[in-house]
Structures are given as C-alpha cells and as structure tokens.
Amino acid sequence: MRAFIRPFLRQHGVRIVVTMVPVVCALLYAVGAVRMGVLQRLDDIIYDARLRATMHSSLDERIVIVDFDEKSQAEFGWPWSRKKLAELTNELFERQKVAIAGFDIVFLEPDESSGLARLQQLATTELRDEPSFVAKVGRLKSALDHDAVFARALQDRPVVLGYYFTSDRDGHTGGVLPAPVMQAAALPAGFAGFTRWNGFGANIPEIAAAAPVAGFFNAIADPDGVTRSVPLIADYRGRHYEALSLAMFRMLAGGPLVSAGFSADRGAFSGIDSIQLKKDGKSLHIPIDERGAALLPFRGAGGARGGAYRYISAADVLHRRLPPASLTGKIVLIGTTAPGLLDLRVTPVGETYPGVEMHANLLTGMLDNRIAVRPSYAAGYEVLVLCITGLALALLLPQLGALHAVLFSIGIGAAVVGLNFGLYLAHGLVLPLASVLLMTATAFALNMSYGYFVESRAKRKLASLFGSYVPPELVDEMLQEPQSYSMKAVNKELTVMFCDMRGFTQIAEQMGPGQLQSLLNGVFTRLTARIREQRGTIDKYMGDCIMAFWGAPVEMANHANLAVHTALALIDEVRLWGAERRTAGLPEIGIGIGINTGTMCVGDMGSEIRRSYTVIGDAVNLGARLEGLTSFYGVDLVVGETTRRQADEFIWQELDKVRVKGKGQAVTIFWPIASAAQFTARQAAELTQWNAFLKAYRRQDWDVCNEMLRNLQAFHATKYLYQMYADRVASMRMLPLDSAWDGATSFETK
C-alpha cells in the first residue's frame, strides 16, 4: 500500500490539495460556519425549477374557488354588503350543496351600508316623537342589520372564516380570535417557538360567534421576495393558532386534535418537524419547518387559466347561473383574484399568483398527504454528500485527462442531481444541492487550471514533437493524455490511403509555375480539409498525390470506416470542383484512390537532417498499388480485403483477384456500391448476378459468363467494368483452358 500511496501523493499531491480547497469551503457553508447568500439563492432557483418541472398541472375537482373577480365587482361593486354575502352563502349550501366553505376574507368592521345606524339615530333623536317611524325602524332592523343576516347564514354550517396576524403593531385592530389549537405548555422544553406575531385583524364578534372556526391566511415571503411556503401554525402571546387551510382540513376530518411532532437526536428534543392530527387512534403528519410553515405543493401556474382549480365568478353564483347541485360535495374557497384587491403574490410558478389558490394547494396536499419538506437532517445530508463527492474529485481528477475529467465531473454532478431529484419525487424531500454542484464545478475548474498552467510543459513538448506531423485536431486530443504518446516506431494495424489526380500531368504542362502552384494549393486545401474532418493524419504530399493514414498516433477502432468515408468525400469534392472548372471552360481532373488495412510500422523516421512521422511496410506498398488499379477497372476507389471486412458500413462489389508487382500472393480487391443504409433492391439483384458471374469466370465457363454479362449490362449498359470483362472473356475463350489458373490477374508494373 505504501508503495502505491507515496508515488501517488508525490505525483498528484499538489492537485489534490488544490481540489480540496472548494470542498472545505463548501463544508464550512454546510455546517453554518460561513454564510454565502449566492448558494442559498442558487438553491432557491433549483427548487423553483424542480417545482415547475414536477407540477401535476391537472384539475383537482374536489376544490372550487368562488372568485370576487373583476366581473363580480363590475356587477355588484366592492365591497359586497354582508346581505349579498349571506345570499351567496345560502346559495352555496342550500342550492349548490357544497361540503364546506372557507373565506379568504376578514370581516373586520360592521357593515353599515344599509343605513340602519342612521335610521336608529333618527328614531332616538329628531323623529322620536313619530311612533310610526320608530315602529317601522324596529320592524326593519332584522332585515337591515346585514351583519346579523350574514351571521344567520353562517350559523350551524361548515364554514371557516379568515383573519390575519401582523408584526408591525402591538395589539389588534379589532375582531375576535378563534380558540387556539395548541398552548405553549404543550410544546417540548427547549423549543424556540413558531413565527411570532404581535397583532391581528379578525372578524367582528357577531360574525365570529356565528362561525367560531377560523384560520389565518398569512403568507411569508423568502428573502428574495418569492413565496414558497405558508405557515400552518402561528404564535400569538404563547397561544398557537392554525391556518385557514389547516382549519378547513380539520373540519373535513371531523376535528382531530393538533399536536407538534418533533425530531429527536439521541433521545433529546431536536426540533419541530411536523404537525400531528390525531383522531380515533389514527394520526396524520403534516411536515413543517422550524417556523411552522409548510412548502406549497403548487399544482399549476395559478388563476382561472392555470388549470389546477375550477374558478367560478361570485357574480355567477349569486345570479344563480350555475345549475342546482352542480357543486355538490365540493370544498369551496371564497376569495379574490382582482388585481386591485392586493391578494396576488410572487411565487415560483407565477408573479401574480392568487393568495386564495395557495390555500387550495395546501388543502390538496393535505388531502393527498403529499407535501414536500426540508428535513431537519438536511445539513447532515449535505455534509455527507460533500465529503463523498469531494473525496472522489480530489483523488480521481488529478489522474484524468481533460476529456475524462469533464465526463467524470459531469457524471458526479448528474449522480448528485439524480439522487436529489429521486428523493424529492419519491419521498417529497427538499435537500440542498447548490453547494455540491458549485463545489464540483469549482474543484474541476481549479484542477484543470492547475493542470493547464503548471503541468502543460509536458503537453507543450508533445505538441512540438507531433505538431508538424499530425492534424491540430488530433494534437489537441493527444494533449489530454500526453504520457500515452511518443515518437517511437511501433507495429500496429492501420489503414492507409493513396489519392492521385488523373489527367493532372497534361494540364500542368500547359501552366506556368505560378498557375500550377495555385492549382495544387487549391485542390490540396480542399482535399486535406475532408481528410481532417474524418480524423486522418496527412503523411505527405507527393507531386499530385496525397498519402494519409488512420489509427495513429491516436487509436481509432473504426479506422477502416473512416478511411472509406474520407475517400467518398474526396470523390464528391473533386466532382464538385470539376463541375466548377467545366462551368469556367477549364479541363476537368479525375481522381483515383487506393485504400488498404494491415499491420504497418509507424513512427518518426528519416535522417538526422529531416524526419517525419510516417508509415512503412508491405501493407503500405499494397495500398499504393491499389490506387494504380483504379483506372484499369474504371472506378474511383479500390480497397483491399481487410479494409472491406472492417468497413462494414458499406456494401462492396468484388472487382477481381490481382497479383501486383512485389507481391506473389493474389489479393482480392473491391469497390463500394453504396452505404448499407442506402442499398436498394435493384443493386442487390445486380450484385447477386455479378457474384454468380465471378464464379463462372473463375471456372472458365465462358458461355455462362457471356449470358451473365448481358444481364449485367442490362443493369448498367455503359459500366466500364462489365465491358472490360466482356473483352477479357472474348480474349480468354480463344485460349485453351488452363487447369492451373487461379482466376487472378497479374500486374507487372507499379
């Protein structure tokens, strides 16, 4: 172990220390030793994006929002009298048969819109001597006391009123608070308390007495002004009160008792983490944070067009535009979305989100038992993930090249994101993510920067060695792992290509030196660009010929396929260039390409005066010979057997068996008909006929050969290959049959 650790630390120790710097900073943030507002903001952004991506975006048919919208204000004005509210309430319960109604409205002051107070004043002052007037006022009192009318409509019905707490005043602005759901004495010792308020605005006594169940509708925005959670429990003078949504849920559930659930650390009180609702031996836990707030489980973008809840205009309800019993069994929230009434909030899913829909979302979450939570152990989770990922980055990044370091860092980030999102989707856990992502990115950046500025000396040396021999694109790839490359000659399987221009000599004889130079530079530039696109290494330029190879210095498992793709691209490039010359009235130039795959010696070779990174060997010589056969067989490209076998992306036509100069053994040569994806049924039929012809040809069955050639020429009447074989068969049938003939054609010239 020591034999491994000491060399490892000697080689990578400094980079490990550099990588650990952001890890330590992130850990200090996670344990609360330092504050970094940017990380909290980034976590909020991640939470918001995740929330939007995972919203249900479907209609919850259990809950309906009766909206005092602009339409309602236009028809009945604002505020509505309590008499109209009574009519609305009666319509909801008597004709529409709703299950429960919650008012996201506070009735802070008496309703004097009927003028009853003025009439009573007149009856006791100026008109006290008018018995008929006094009697009339007495008879009208029950009808004109709108608060009493509204209270009668609320009486003995499942209604939850709303009210609010304040923190900017001492005492209250009026009204009566409902009974608290918990006392401070019921909470564990050491609990610092929920969010405290020092004032409230509640419903007037007459209305509060008619509907004694009420819940506050406060929301708490985060430091960036975005509302992501709503308190379910609030502390006012040591008493704890419930939110509107919680009060409605408890009424629906039959009034279960409320208590606080808390996390424990080795048996000792650690902190509040839930609200427990208990009834008949059953309990439900609603997750909350240390403030007593629950994360809002947003279902949609908000509003009537958000698609999460059905919105009904209060005017339509009051005018009885809804069919009877169309809201039977529904949970109704009564509130407003009118911009002028200031009940619109900035949320992760919309900048003008109706406050009434926040309560609807919480009700849905409680009904489905699906409310996300930031668990009390979130900091411990963050520290654990930081330690594991930081250690992995510190130990592995120094050993990786740039590409693998990028992939590894992305993999680490993806794994952490996947775990985080998985816990959120499966268990509703909202866990920190920003610190790990920023630490990973910073560790990678510092590691790569150190490698670039400090360790780049070896890479610059490699670039100076290979930069003159191989394309810059491959040099950049080699620089990622410079220790893997050297100029030492080795034997390995490669693919070599020779590309020669036909008719170039005749054209060159008619040109001056400057014109010839311009022509060569132009065509070589175009062809070289195509070779580099397919990762080829330019070996050399030889007059009007280009020599290139694939598979070194950078390993390429598909070097044969790349070489064939390159050859076809060169053929297309020359055809395009020829069309341009033809349009300009200039003579065209053809092309012939030979490709062979085999074992070659590759390395830095030459003299002390001049050296080059090149390939040599029998396989290289065969590639050059194959290029020379292209014009003989009337094709642009000829490849050897090994290339054909490895370049499996193409369909090949066998041209012949040949015995070239310098090689005693016959080799089979091919040219590509088409790519496998573009191979047609007609081409398949032609190829089948051709293969049958070659069998007849090699057994010297000349009559069958002639018949098959006629069939082949029906496919391609002008194909030079078929005409060449027709001439060859005509000549050979005049000779006696040769039992020793192996079907190969011999070429004595290069």
Side-chain angles (χ1 to χ4, degrees):
M1 181 64 71
R2 290 182 179 179
F4 168 77
I5 293 177
R6 286 182 179 177
F8 177 79
L9 292 178
R10 190 181 304 113
Q11 182 180 1
H12 303 297
V14 177
R15 291 184 71 172
I16 291 174
V17 172
V18 169
T19 308
M20 287 300 296
V21 171
V23 179
V24 173
C25 292
L27 286 171
L28 291 174
Y29 166 78
V31 299
V34 296
R35 295 181 61 84
M36 299 182 191
V38 64
L39 285 179
Q40 182 57 57
R41 180 66 184 121
L42 183 57
D43 259 328
D44 288 341
I45 293 172
I46 293 171
Y47 172 80
D48 295 348
R50 178 175 52 202
L51 181 65
R52 289 191 294 269
T54 56
M55 287 192 304
H56 285 275
S57 298
S58 60
L59 181 68
D60 186 347
E61 297 182 353
R62 298 167 296 184
I63 300 174
V64 173
I65 296 174
V66 173
D67 186 10
F68 289 109
D69 54 5
E70 292 178 322
K71 174 183 177 180
S72 300
Q73 294 181 43
E75 291 190 25
F76 294 101
W78 188 260
W80 280 21
S81 70
R82 304 280 161 80
K83 182 179 180 181
K84 284 188 174 62
L85 290 174
E87 294 172 6
L88 178 72
T89 303
N90 289 330
E91 170 69 11
L92 289 173
F93 282 100
E94 294 173 2
R95 188 167 176 269
Q96 297 301 330
K97 310 298 184 183
V98 302
I100 185 174
F103 284 85
D104 186 26
I105 303 169
V106 61
F107 305 108
L108 190 64
E109 299 174 347
D111 183 356
E112 298 180 351
S113 61
S114 66
L116 176 61
R118 177 56 178 160
L119 292 175
Q120 289 177 327
Q121 181 185 17
L122 290 173
T124 57
T125 55
E126 292 100 312
L127 300 177
R128 63 178 179 275
D129 297 328
E130 298 289 338
S132 60
F133 178 80
V134 174
K136 184 70 172 177
V137 171
R139 290 193 298 272
L140 291 175
K141 182 178 184 302
S142 61
L144 294 179
D145 188 348
H146 291 174
D147 289 325
V149 172
F150 185 42
R152 287 194 296 272
L154 298 176
Q155 192 77 40
D156 299 326
R157 283 176 170 166
V159 172
V160 178
L161 299 178
Y163 64 96
Y164 62 86
F165 284 111
T166 65
S167 58
D168 57 355
R169 68 195 70 169
D170 188 11
H172 66 277
T173 58
V176 178
L177 283 176
V181 294
M182 285 191 301
Q183 300 290 342
L187 296 172
F191 176 54
F194 297 115
T195 302
R196 289 186 173 90
W197 309 85
N198 59 12
F200 66 87
N203 300 287
I204 61 175
E206 187 173 6
I207 293 176
V213 179
F216 63 86
F217 45 70
N218 295 74
I220 302 176
D222 290 337
D224 60 357
V226 178
T227 300
R228 299 179 177 88
S229 59
V230 168
L232 293 183
I233 298 291
D235 184 333
Y236 178 70
R237 296 185 177 180
R239 297 180 179 89
H240 296 88
Y241 298 87
E242 60 186 332
L244 176 64
S245 55
L246 180 58
M248 293 180 69
F249 180 74
R250 288 181 60 240
M251 182 174 285
L252 286 167
L257 297 177
V258 179
S259 62
F262 60 93
S263 55
D265 183 8
R266 298 181 182 178
F269 170 75
S270 178
I272 297 291
D273 62 7
S274 67
I275 296 171
Q276 296 185 28
L277 304 181
K278 297 180 180 179
K279 185 178 182 183
D280 299 332
K282 298 180 180 179
S283 63
L284 173 68
H285 293 258
I286 302 173
I288 57 173
D289 59 21
E290 67 281 357
R291 303 174 302 171
L295 289 169
L296 283 159
F298 291 100
R299 291 181 62 86
R305 297 182 180 179
Y309 300 97
R310 180 184 176 190
Y311 276 76
I312 301 174
S313 174
D316 291 340
V317 177
L318 193 60
H319 274 308
R320 296 193 169 190
R321 294 168 183 153
L322 274 67
S326 59
L327 301 181
T328 300
K330 302 296 184 183
I331 301 168
V332 174
L333 276 162
I334 303 168
T336 179
T337 62
L341 299 183
L342 304 178
D343 193 26
L344 301 174
R345 313 295 174 89
V346 178
T347 69
V349 299
E351 294 184 356
T352 54
Y353 197 91
V356 65
E357 192 166 336
M358 291 183 177
H359 308 302
N361 280 291
L362 280 169
L363 271 170
T364 296
M366 287 185 274
L367 289 169
D368 297 336
N369 196 21
R370 290 179 60 88
I371 295 181
V373 60
R374 291 186 175 96
S376 57
Y377 54 80
Y381 167 87
E382 187 174 15
V383 169
L384 179 62
V385 173
L386 283 170
C387 288
I388 294 174
T389 56
L391 189 62
L393 290 167
L395 293 179
L396 295 179
L397 277 182
Q399 304 180 62
L400 301 176
L403 176 59
H404 290 118
V406 170
L407 294 176
F408 177 69
S409 300
I410 292 175
I412 286 284
V416 172
V417 170
L419 175 63
N420 192 282
F421 271 58
L423 292 172
Y424 176 78
L425 294 174
H427 304 289
L429 298 177
V430 178
L431 296 165
L433 182 59
S435 60
V436 182
L437 294 181
L438 187 60
M439 179 272 291
T440 301
T442 307
F444 167 78
L446 288 175
N447 200 282
M448 291 299 100
S449 297
Y450 179 86
Y452 177 79
F453 291 108
V454 179
E455 297 180 353
S456 60
R457 186 176 303 170
K459 296 182 178 181
R460 288 194 296 269
K461 181 180 179 181
L462 179 71
S464 66
L465 289 174
F466 282 94
S468 303
Y469 308 134
V470 300
E473 299 90 333
L474 293 185
V475 172
D476 292 340
E477 189 170 330
M478 293 163 65
L479 289 178
Q480 298 173 13
E481 297 182 19
Q483 68 278 4
S484 302
Y485 303 94
S486 72
M487 305 295 287
K488 184 179 179 180
V490 294
N491 286 326
K492 62 189 305 185
E493 186 182 73
L494 307 173
T495 298
V496 67
M497 181 187 77
F498 290 86
C499 174
D500 188 44
M501 283 176 276
R502 298 173 185 164
F504 185 83
T505 303
Q506 294 84 344
I507 296 175
E509 291 175 351
Q510 305 171 17
M511 291 184 174
Q515 292 176 308
L516 180 60
Q517 181 185 43
S518 177
L519 178 64
L520 272 176
N521 290 345
V523 69
F524 279 162
T525 297
R526 298 175 72 151
L527 299 185
T528 299
R530 303 289 82 78
I531 294 171
R532 285 185 170 179
E533 286 174 359
Q534 299 294 333
R535 298 167 59 82
T537 299
I538 301 293
D539 189 306
K540 58 179 69 73
Y541 302 101
M542 302 172 292
D544 58 355
C545 177
I546 300 177
M547 176 181 173
F549 58 89
W550 284 258
V554 177
E555 294 281 351
M556 301 172 192
N558 61 337
H559 49 80
N561 269 316
L562 289 172
V564 176
H565 276 292
T566 304
L568 297 177
L570 295 183
I571 292 168
D572 290 340
E573 189 69 36
V574 170
R575 286 175 181 168
L576 178 62
W577 184 57
E580 294 173 0
R581 289 181 61 81
R582 183 169 60 252
T583 302
L586 299 173
E588 298 182 47
I589 295 177
I591 194 173
I593 300 174
I595 296 177
N596 191 46
T597 300
T599 302
M600 310 170 191
C601 181
V602 59
D604 186 27
M605 303 177 192
S607 67
E608 293 296 331
I609 299 174
R610 180 167 179 165
R611 306 175 68 83
S612 65
Y613 187 73
T614 188
V615 290
I616 59 173
D618 185 58
V620 179
N621 296 333
L622 179 57
R625 302 291 185 270
L626 297 182
E627 181 277 317
L629 298 179
T630 54
S631 58
F632 183 84
Y633 289 93
V635 293
D636 297 317
L637 170 62
V638 174
V639 309
E641 169 66 24
T642 307
T643 302
R644 182 208 61 90
R645 188 168 55 251
Q646 294 189 15
D648 53 5
E649 296 180 11
F650 302 90
I651 303 299
W652 298 89
Q653 182 176 15
E654 180 181 340
L655 295 175
D656 203 353
K657 289 183 178 179
V658 299
R659 191 173 288 105
V660 298
K661 184 176 178 62
K663 192 172 180 66
Q665 184 179 358
V667 295
T668 308
I669 60 174
F670 302 83
W671 82 285
I673 297 177
S675 67
Q678 298 175 335
F679 190 50
T680 65
R682 178 179 175 84
Q683 289 173 321
E686 181 182 355
L687 184 59
T688 301
Q689 187 79 10
W690 172 254
N691 290 334
F693 162 77
L694 287 179
K695 291 180 181 178
Y697 173 77
R698 285 163 185 159
R699 67 174 181 263
Q700 304 179 72
D701 191 343
W702 309 126
D703 291 335
V704 173
C705 286
N706 282 332
E707 180 182 353
M708 290 186 174
L709 281 171
R710 283 193 294 271
N711 293 336
L712 288 166
Q713 287 174 331
F715 283 100
H716 281 294
T718 61
K719 191 167 184 176
Y720 176 79
L721 180 67
Y722 299 158
Q723 184 59 49
M724 182 205 74
Y725 267 96
D727 295 341
R728 183 184 289 182
V729 169
S731 298
M732 295 184 71
R733 72 182 305 156
M734 299 175 64
L735 302 173
L737 296 180
D738 185 356
S739 59
W741 184 54
D742 61 358
T745 304
S746 298
F747 292 89
E748 298 301 326
T749 62
K750 295 183 179 181

